Amino acid sequence: MSRRNKTKQPNRDTVTFTEKDFLPTTRADMDARGWDYCDVILVSGDAYIDSPFIGIAMVGRMLEKLGYKVGMIGQPDIKSPDDIMRLGEPKVYWGVSGGSVDSMVSNYTATKKFRNSDDYTPGGKNTKRPDRALSVYCNLIRQHFKNTVPLVLGGIEASLRRVTHYDYWSNKLRKPILFDSKADVLVYGMGETAIEQLTSAIAKGEDYKNIRGICYISKEANEDYHQLPSHAECLEEKEKYIDLFDLFYDNNDPIAANGLCQAVDSRYLIQNPPGEHLNEDAMDANSDLPFTRELHPHHAKEGKVKCLETIKFSIMTHQGCWGECNFCAIGVHQGRTIRTRSEGNILKEANDFNKYKDYKGIISDVGGPTANMYGYECNKKEKLGTCAHQRCVDATHLCQSMKPDHSRNINLLRQVREVPGVRKAFVASGVRYDLITADKEHGYAYLKEMVKHHISGQMKVAPEHTQQHVLELMGKPGKQTLVDFKKLYDKLNEEEGKKQFLTYYLIAAHPGCTDKDMHELKDFTTNELQMNPEQAQVFTPTPGTYSAVMYYTEMNPKTREKIFVEKDTKRKEKQKQIVVKKESYASGFAS
């Protein structure tokens, strides 16, 4: 440990958590509090991990702060009534989430092979998360609680499936998830304000149909909202599905969006405009909620959850991402406007890690969906909302209204390093290298900070591809930006006397990508990047993304022109193998 770090050691006052420090998940937990009932019971596809990184835990702690009695049931046994009935019936509503990852994405690989491991299940074996978890859990509740209180859906599985959507695993368009699950209400996006208002309305017996950030089923259309193509029209004509997704995608901003209405059989899916984003004070307040950052003892006896290795001592600095990669659902779920926490609040969290006896001074990550979007936004967007037909960044340029500024992020990282007890603070979240090269004033200094202090041996970047027509379909920057960034990265490592490398994430079989394109990608990585790629994945068409629309329709959504889409599983794997095949080269490096 350096001399500088020796002078800033904290006074250790470690904590030990027991069941009473968590939200109740067993009848014994309720009895210890003297509760006869819960107001809200939250059901999740994950084990109960009490962390700010786990959405359902954040909801539970928010509602607890508001004075509600909240119970938690993680990964209930779907073949027995014991788990789902162990806390009784709630007085206000059931909150149902598929977990931190869409259950189908969690359970299957891109080539539809079942995943044997699950990072959110104790012991790591994927034996407790059902396919289509939302529908399964709702059916389980209704099976054992007749005429029960409302069922409210939330989380990423609900958020991305809230209108007609392409489902890769059944290879068809499915109805909005409210219809399949037979739930009563759906909270979409991050949902903080909607959850507070909805809980209050249901508890008081008030009408909640006008609350922003929710979806519900109606017998009548809302003529004041945008009318989406009906589910039947989407089934009949693929271009209608593109029309639907365009309207869906362009109405996700609290300032600029209108509500949406879609006919599904004889009823209508109503999506109210999005709920307001949290300001900095509200972001800080949620981060201050009393999370234990541990797995509940009820689950701990079954083994550890792997995700805690990453998230326990990590810090989420902000929400949202305006990168708009077409294969990524973050923009639809979290939003395309950055909401930051204050530096003081982040530093407090870093200091609080010292209370844990297993904290070794290593912060796993200081970041967000895109780490280097912390601390700045487009002034126009903050006043008027996201632009309907103009992206902040795409494959050809950065909007002139968006001016990357890494200065606040640099200052934050420097302060984090000075927190007592911190030996190393990594930035493991994704970093947009094009934003670094675009920031002529602070980009160099930011990357220098990263190279010197915040990576360990290698820095992960995600060019995904190098062929321009594929990059345009992905919504990723051109390859010259990557070349420029690598030169700068190598230069800084040389200046610092370090031998640190870049690791590249690449995607095979994205819509528009052929075997020839993968060979061109391989040639580029060999000759320009002087490396053999190891991180390549086969594309997964995730609900709520333009890339999934391309996969289903085999069209470019912008031009409506036909594009090649590889749908044969073996040929998808072949595309991946083209680029990850290990070779040795006469130029002086080997795999």
Side-chain angles (χ1 to χ4, degrees):
M1 186 180 295
S2 70
R3 180 174 297 174
R4 178 177 65 85
N5 279 335
K6 285 182 179 179
T7 66
K8 61 176 186 123
Q9 290 306 298
N11 293 321
R12 293 279 183 174
D13 185 16
T14 58
V15 295
T16 301
F17 296 105
T18 63
E19 285 88 340
K20 66 181 178 62
D21 298 300
F22 295 79
L23 298 172
T25 194
T26 66
R27 174 58 67 174
D29 292 344
M30 291 176 61
D31 291 342
R33 289 166 172 77
W35 292 6
D36 295 324
Y37 64 89
C38 293
D39 295 309
V40 176
I41 295 178
L42 302 175
V43 181
S44 174
D46 301 334
Y48 174 24
I49 305 160
D50 192 41
S51 164
F53 283 83
I54 304 297
I56 198 105
M58 175 64 77
V59 171
R61 290 299 189 181
M62 287 169 52
L63 293 176
E64 177 190 47
K65 182 180 179 181
L66 293 170
Y68 297 101
K69 298 177 180 178
V70 184
M72 187 80 70
I73 300 177
Q75 299 184 322
D77 183 353
I78 62 173
K79 297 179 180 179
S80 165
D82 294 348
D83 285 338
I84 202 65
M85 298 185 73
R86 69 176 182 240
L87 300 182
E89 185 175 19
K91 296 292 185 183
V92 182
Y93 64 81
W94 298 87
V96 185
S97 167
S100 300
V101 183
D102 181 281
S103 59
M104 299 305 290
V105 175
S106 180
N107 285 350
Y108 297 93
T109 68
T111 52
K112 300 184 181 180
K113 297 177 182 176
F114 186 76
R115 297 185 195 272
N116 293 317
S117 62
D118 188 324
D119 290 353
Y120 300 87
T121 296
K125 292 184 178 180
N126 189 14
T127 57
K128 295 192 174 183
R129 188 190 308 275
D131 292 354
R132 311 197 187 284
L134 289 176
S135 295
V136 171
Y137 291 153
C138 287
N139 289 337
L140 182 66
I141 292 168
R142 294 202 185 279
Q143 178 184 352
H144 297 289
F145 295 93
K146 307 299 181 183
N147 302 315
T148 189
V149 294
L151 273 59
V152 178
L153 303 183
I156 195 164
E157 183 169 339
S159 190
L160 301 185
R161 295 172 179 269
R162 61 189 188 263
V163 297
T164 290
H165 56 279
Y166 173 66
D167 181 81
Y168 171 61
W169 300 270
S170 58
N171 192 30
K172 67 180 183 180
L173 294 184
R174 296 182 72 97
K175 294 178 182 179
I177 190 66
L178 274 175
F179 289 82
D180 282 347
S181 66
K182 298 179 175 59
D184 299 284
V185 192
L186 184 154
V187 175
Y188 68 89
M190 300 305 283
E192 300 99 338
T193 55
I195 289 165
E196 179 177 347
Q197 295 168 13
L198 180 66
T199 308
S200 176
I202 296 177
K204 296 176 181 177
E206 297 174 350
D207 185 10
Y208 54 76
K209 298 294 178 64
N210 291 322
I211 292 174
R212 296 175 67 102
I214 70 167
C215 300
Y216 61 92
I217 297 172
S218 173
K219 294 180 180 180
E220 298 178 353
N222 186 327
E223 302 295 344
D224 295 329
Y225 285 179
H226 288 314
Q227 304 301 303
L228 298 174
S230 69
H231 182 71
E233 288 175 319
C234 292
L235 291 175
E236 293 171 4
E237 187 178 346
K238 289 185 175 180
E239 285 202 50
K240 287 291 186 181
Y241 180 55
I242 299 177
D243 293 339
L244 175 143
F245 196 85
D246 284 343
L247 270 174
F248 168 74
Y249 190 85
D250 287 340
N251 285 274
N252 275 283
D253 182 85
I255 299 174
N258 191 10
L260 303 176
C261 176
Q262 185 191 14
V264 182
D265 299 332
S266 60
R267 296 181 292 171
Y268 298 87
L269 184 282
I270 307 295
Q271 175 180 303
N272 289 344
E276 298 295 330
H277 288 321
L278 298 185
N279 59 25
E280 191 171 282
D281 288 343
M283 290 282 290
D284 287 353
N286 278 353
S287 298
D288 285 336
L289 293 169
F291 298 99
T292 64
R293 310 183 87 95
E294 300 279 9
L295 178 67
H296 190 283
H298 175 76
H299 298 283
K301 59 181 180 289
E302 301 171 29
K304 297 180 179 180
V305 286
K306 187 175 177 59
C307 72
L308 272 179
E309 296 175 7
T310 303
I311 67 174
K312 183 170 183 178
F313 298 122
S314 289
I315 299 174
M316 180 72 75
T317 59
H318 61 284
Q319 293 177 357
C321 179
W322 42 264
E324 296 192 74
C325 300
N326 283 333
F327 49 81
C328 178
I330 290 174
V332 167
H333 183 59
Q334 288 202 13
R336 288 178 276 160
T337 300
I338 304 301
R339 292 91 72 195
T340 62
R341 293 169 57 192
S342 69
E343 288 87 344
N345 187 254
I346 291 169
L347 297 175
K348 176 182 177 298
E349 182 173 1
N351 189 63
D352 285 346
F353 290 162
N354 289 301
K355 298 177 182 178
Y356 293 81
K357 60 183 179 181
D358 56 339
Y359 175 58
K360 306 301 182 184
I362 307 298
I363 298 178
S364 303
D365 186 24
V366 182
T370 301
N372 59 327
M373 288 184 184
Y374 174 81
Y376 63 92
E377 247 298 352
C378 168
N379 292 331
K380 179 181 176 183
K381 191 203 301 184
E382 290 183 319
K383 294 177 182 176
L384 303 176
T386 54
C387 300
H389 302 293
Q390 171 68 45
R391 294 191 171 200
C392 299
V393 61
D394 59 24
T396 58
H397 73 288
L398 178 70
C399 177
Q400 62 182 4
S401 297
M402 179 60 74
K403 304 183 187 305
D405 181 356
H406 292 80
S407 59
R408 188 175 175 187
N409 205 330
I410 293 169
N411 292 331
L412 171 67
L413 292 174
R414 288 173 177 170
Q415 292 179 77
V416 168
R417 294 200 303 270
E418 294 300 322
V419 171
V422 173
R423 294 169 52 206
K424 190 80 172 181
F426 293 110
V427 176
S429 297
V431 172
R432 289 284 299 227
Y433 52 83
D434 53 326
L435 304 185
I436 295 176
T437 57
D439 183 0
K440 303 304 180 184
E441 188 171 355
H442 301 290
Y444 178 90
Y446 174 77
L447 185 57
K448 188 171 184 177
E449 292 284 321
M450 293 284 286
V451 167
K452 191 171 183 178
H453 298 290
H454 299 288
I455 60 177
S456 177
Q458 59 184 11
M459 183 177 182
K460 299 172 184 177
V461 294
E464 310 300 2
H465 217 287
T466 56
Q467 296 306 99
Q468 187 61 26
H469 70 279
V470 180
L471 291 171
E472 289 177 0
L473 291 171
M474 289 179 165
K476 297 291 290 187
K479 63 185 178 183
Q480 187 57 46
T481 308
L482 176 62
V483 172
D484 295 342
F485 174 78
K486 184 179 185 302
K487 290 178 180 177
L488 180 59
Y489 181 82
D490 290 343
K491 175 178 179 290
L492 286 170
N493 272 282
E494 184 177 356
E495 290 177 0
E496 293 295 330
K498 295 190 174 186
K499 294 183 178 180
Q500 299 181 131
F501 305 97
L502 289 173
T503 298
Y504 305 88
Y505 287 104
L506 305 171
I507 292 180
H510 185 277
C513 180
T514 64
D515 287 3
K516 180 177 182 295
D517 294 320
M518 295 306 291
H519 282 294
E520 294 286 349
L521 172 59
K522 180 67 171 181
D523 289 344
F524 183 87
T525 58
T526 300
N527 299 318
E528 295 289 338
L529 303 181
Q530 295 288 293
M531 52 82 69
N532 271 310
E534 296 180 357
Q535 300 286 344
Q537 60 182 339
V538 175
F539 164 71
T540 300
T542 307
T545 65
Y546 264 114
S547 293
V549 175
M550 297 177 206
Y551 186 90
Y552 171 68
T553 64
E554 299 181 37
M555 286 185 276
N556 181 332
K558 286 185 178 180
T559 64
R560 308 296 171 100
E561 295 174 346
K562 185 173 178 58
I563 59 174
F564 171 76
V565 177
E566 183 59 77
K567 295 190 174 182
D568 181 85
T569 299
K570 291 183 178 179
R571 294 194 64 84
K572 290 179 184 180
E573 286 284 3
K574 179 186 175 184
Q575 282 201 18
K576 175 181 175 179
Q577 292 306 315
I578 289 171
V579 76
V580 300
K581 181 181 178 182
K582 304 224 173 187
E583 301 174 3
S584 297
Y585 301 93
S587 57
F589 73 98
S591 60

mmCIF file of all heavy atoms in Angstrom, residues 218-236:
data_model
loop_
_atom_site.group_PDB
_atom_site.id
_atom_site.type_symbol
_atom_site.label_atom_id
_atom_site.label_comp_id
_atom_site.label_asym_id
_atom_site.label_seq_id
_atom_site.Cartn_x
_atom_site.Cartn_y
_atom_site.Cartn_z
ATOM 1 N N SER A 218 -57.830 -1.097 -21.149
ATOM 2 C CA SER A 218 -59.106 -0.377 -21.141
ATOM 3 C C SER A 218 -60.057 -0.973 -22.180
ATOM 4 O O SER A 218 -59.622 -1.527 -23.198
ATOM 5 C CB SER A 218 -58.865 1.111 -21.461
ATOM 6 O OG SER A 218 -60.080 1.793 -21.627
ATOM 7 N N LYS A 219 -61.334 -0.848 -21.892
ATOM 8 C CA LYS A 219 -62.338 -1.280 -22.867
ATOM 9 C C LYS A 219 -62.537 -0.249 -23.961
ATOM 10 O O LYS A 219 -63.120 -0.541 -25.010
ATOM 11 C CB LYS A 219 -63.677 -1.536 -22.161
ATOM 12 C CG LYS A 219 -63.649 -2.712 -21.198
ATOM 13 C CD LYS A 219 -65.007 -2.905 -20.544
ATOM 14 C CE LYS A 219 -64.988 -4.085 -19.569
ATOM 15 N NZ LYS A 219 -66.310 -4.279 -18.913
ATOM 16 N N GLU A 220 -62.049 0.976 -23.712
ATOM 17 C CA GLU A 220 -62.222 2.066 -24.676
ATOM 18 C C GLU A 220 -60.876 2.677 -25.029
ATOM 19 O O GLU A 220 -59.957 2.711 -24.203
ATOM 20 C CB GLU A 220 -63.142 3.147 -24.099
ATOM 21 C CG GLU A 220 -64.547 2.648 -23.787
ATOM 22 C CD GLU A 220 -65.411 3.740 -23.174
ATOM 23 O OE1 GLU A 220 -64.862 4.830 -22.876
ATOM 24 O OE2 GLU A 220 -66.611 3.504 -22.997
ATOM 25 N N ALA A 221 -60.778 3.177 -26.248
ATOM 26 C CA ALA A 221 -59.553 3.831 -26.701
ATOM 27 C C ALA A 221 -59.425 5.210 -26.066
ATOM 28 O O ALA A 221 -60.430 5.834 -25.687
ATOM 29 C CB ALA A 221 -59.550 3.950 -28.221
ATOM 30 N N ASN A 222 -58.208 5.689 -25.945
ATOM 31 C CA ASN A 222 -57.955 7.074 -25.544
ATOM 32 C C ASN A 222 -57.611 7.844 -26.807
ATOM 33 O O ASN A 222 -56.500 7.750 -27.337
ATOM 34 C CB ASN A 222 -56.799 7.134 -24.536
ATOM 35 C CG ASN A 222 -56.603 8.534 -23.973
ATOM 36 O OD1 ASN A 222 -56.825 9.529 -24.656
ATOM 37 N ND2 ASN A 222 -56.166 8.613 -22.725
ATOM 38 N N GLU A 223 -58.566 8.607 -27.296
ATOM 39 C CA GLU A 223 -58.415 9.294 -28.582
ATOM 40 C C GLU A 223 -57.408 10.429 -28.526
ATOM 41 O O GLU A 223 -56.943 10.912 -29.571
ATOM 42 C CB GLU A 223 -59.774 9.832 -29.052
ATOM 43 C CG GLU A 223 -60.852 8.761 -29.213
ATOM 44 C CD GLU A 223 -60.537 7.749 -30.308
ATOM 45 O OE1 GLU A 223 -59.645 8.044 -31.141
ATOM 46 O OE2 GLU A 223 -61.162 6.669 -30.325
ATOM 47 N N ASP A 224 -57.049 10.885 -27.343
ATOM 48 C CA ASP A 224 -56.074 11.975 -27.217
ATOM 49 C C ASP A 224 -54.639 11.480 -27.328
ATOM 50 O O ASP A 224 -53.711 12.291 -27.450
ATOM 51 C CB ASP A 224 -56.253 12.692 -25.871
ATOM 52 C CG ASP A 224 -57.587 13.405 -25.763
ATOM 53 O OD1 ASP A 224 -58.090 13.860 -26.809
ATOM 54 O OD2 ASP A 224 -58.125 13.485 -24.640
ATOM 55 N N TYR A 225 -54.439 10.179 -27.272
ATOM 56 C CA TYR A 225 -53.096 9.610 -27.345
ATOM 57 C C TYR A 225 -52.763 9.209 -28.778
ATOM 58 O O TYR A 225 -53.645 9.046 -29.626
ATOM 59 C CB TYR A 225 -52.994 8.383 -26.436
ATOM 60 C CG TYR A 225 -52.919 8.688 -24.957
ATOM 61 C CD1 TYR A 225 -52.839 7.648 -24.026
ATOM 62 C CD2 TYR A 225 -52.925 9.997 -24.470
ATOM 63 C CE1 TYR A 225 -52.757 7.898 -22.665
ATOM 64 C CE2 TYR A 225 -52.850 10.261 -23.112
ATOM 65 C CZ TYR A 225 -52.768 9.210 -22.211
ATOM 66 O OH TYR A 225 -52.686 9.467 -20.867
ATOM 67 N N HIS A 226 -51.468 9.017 -29.048
ATOM 68 C CA HIS A 226 -51.054 8.475 -30.339
ATOM 69 C C HIS A 226 -51.644 7.081 -30.494
ATOM 70 O O HIS A 226 -51.573 6.256 -29.579
ATOM 71 C CB HIS A 226 -49.536 8.367 -30.424
ATOM 72 C CG HIS A 226 -48.831 9.679 -30.549
ATOM 73 N ND1 HIS A 226 -49.224 10.669 -31.415
ATOM 74 C CD2 HIS A 226 -47.728 10.153 -29.916
ATOM 75 C CE1 HIS A 226 -48.405 11.701 -31.316
ATOM 76 N NE2 HIS A 226 -47.493 11.423 -30.406
ATOM 77 N N GLN A 227 -52.219 6.808 -31.674
ATOM 78 C CA GLN A 227 -52.815 5.506 -31.934
ATOM 79 C C GLN A 227 -51.794 4.599 -32.615
ATOM 80 O O GLN A 227 -51.404 4.818 -33.760
ATOM 81 C CB GLN A 227 -54.058 5.653 -32.814
ATOM 82 C CG GLN A 227 -55.119 6.592 -32.241
ATOM 83 C CD GLN A 227 -55.626 6.152 -30.874
ATOM 84 O OE1 GLN A 227 -56.121 5.023 -30.724
ATOM 85 N NE2 GLN A 227 -55.521 7.020 -29.888
ATOM 86 N N LEU A 228 -51.332 3.595 -31.886
ATOM 87 C CA LEU A 228 -50.402 2.630 -32.456
ATOM 88 C C LEU A 228 -51.130 1.676 -33.391
ATOM 89 O O LEU A 228 -52.329 1.418 -33.207
ATOM 90 C CB LEU A 228 -49.750 1.810 -31.338
ATOM 91 C CG LEU A 228 -48.900 2.553 -30.301
ATOM 92 C CD1 LEU A 228 -48.467 1.575 -29.209
ATOM 93 C CD2 LEU A 228 -47.690 3.196 -30.938
ATOM 94 N N PRO A 229 -50.428 1.126 -34.383
ATOM 95 C CA PRO A 229 -51.049 0.045 -35.156
ATOM 96 C C PRO A 229 -51.502 -1.065 -34.209
ATOM 97 O O PRO A 229 -50.837 -1.360 -33.215
ATOM 98 C CB PRO A 229 -49.906 -0.433 -36.059
ATOM 99 C CG PRO A 229 -49.041 0.776 -36.225
ATOM 100 C CD PRO A 229 -49.096 1.479 -34.896
ATOM 101 N N SER A 230 -52.645 -1.660 -34.506
ATOM 102 C CA SER A 230 -53.181 -2.697 -33.634
ATOM 103 C C SER A 230 -52.291 -3.935 -33.663
ATOM 104 O O SER A 230 -51.461 -4.116 -34.571
ATOM 105 C CB SER A 230 -54.594 -3.079 -34.073
ATOM 106 O OG SER A 230 -54.553 -3.762 -35.319
ATOM 107 N N HIS A 231 -52.494 -4.774 -32.687
ATOM 108 C CA HIS A 231 -51.740 -6.032 -32.650
ATOM 109 C C HIS A 231 -52.028 -6.849 -33.909
ATOM 110 O O HIS A 231 -51.107 -7.416 -34.510
ATOM 111 C CB HIS A 231 -52.120 -6.826 -31.398
ATOM 112 C CG HIS A 231 -51.363 -8.113 -31.260
ATOM 113 N ND1 HIS A 231 -50.026 -8.168 -30.944
ATOM 114 C CD2 HIS A 231 -51.768 -9.411 -31.413
ATOM 115 C CE1 HIS A 231 -49.628 -9.424 -30.891
ATOM 116 N NE2 HIS A 231 -50.655 -10.204 -31.172
ATOM 117 N N ALA A 232 -53.288 -6.886 -34.331
ATOM 118 C CA ALA A 232 -53.656 -7.647 -35.531
ATOM 119 C C ALA A 232 -52.982 -7.078 -36.774
ATOM 120 O O ALA A 232 -52.516 -7.829 -37.640
ATOM 121 C CB ALA A 232 -55.176 -7.635 -35.702
ATOM 122 N N GLU A 233 -52.902 -5.743 -36.889
ATOM 123 C CA GLU A 233 -52.247 -5.122 -38.039
ATOM 124 C C GLU A 233 -50.760 -5.469 -38.078
ATOM 125 O O GLU A 233 -50.192 -5.707 -39.148
ATOM 126 C CB GLU A 233 -52.416 -3.606 -37.985
ATOM 127 C CG GLU A 233 -53.827 -3.135 -38.283
ATOM 128 C CD GLU A 233 -53.988 -1.632 -38.112
ATOM 129 O OE1 GLU A 233 -53.430 -1.079 -37.136
ATOM 130 O OE2 GLU A 233 -54.652 -1.015 -38.960
ATOM 131 N N CYS A 234 -50.132 -5.496 -36.913
ATOM 132 C CA CYS A 234 -48.706 -5.837 -36.856
ATOM 133 C C CYS A 234 -48.474 -7.275 -37.296
ATOM 134 O O CYS A 234 -47.470 -7.585 -37.959
ATOM 135 C CB CYS A 234 -48.167 -5.619 -35.450
ATOM 136 S SG CYS A 234 -48.097 -3.890 -34.931
ATOM 137 N N LEU A 235 -49.379 -8.166 -36.937
ATOM 138 C CA LEU A 235 -49.263 -9.559 -37.350
ATOM 139 C C LEU A 235 -49.414 -9.704 -38.862
ATOM 140 O O LEU A 235 -48.754 -10.544 -39.489
ATOM 141 C CB LEU A 235 -50.321 -10.415 -36.649
ATOM 142 C CG LEU A 235 -50.168 -10.625 -35.142
ATOM 143 C CD1 LEU A 235 -51.366 -11.394 -34.596
ATOM 144 C CD2 LEU A 235 -48.874 -11.371 -34.818
ATOM 145 N N GLU A 236 -50.260 -8.885 -39.431
ATOM 146 C CA GLU A 236 -50.557 -8.987 -40.861
ATOM 147 C C GLU A 236 -49.490 -8.343 -41.736
ATOM 148 O O GLU A 236 -49.236 -8.803 -42.852
ATOM 149 C CB GLU A 236 -51.918 -8.342 -41.157
ATOM 150 C CG GLU A 236 -53.095 -9.090 -40.560
ATOM 151 C CD GLU A 236 -54.395 -8.323 -40.689
ATOM 152 O OE1 GLU A 236 -54.375 -7.237 -41.312
ATOM 153 O OE2 GLU A 236 -55.418 -8.790 -40.176
#
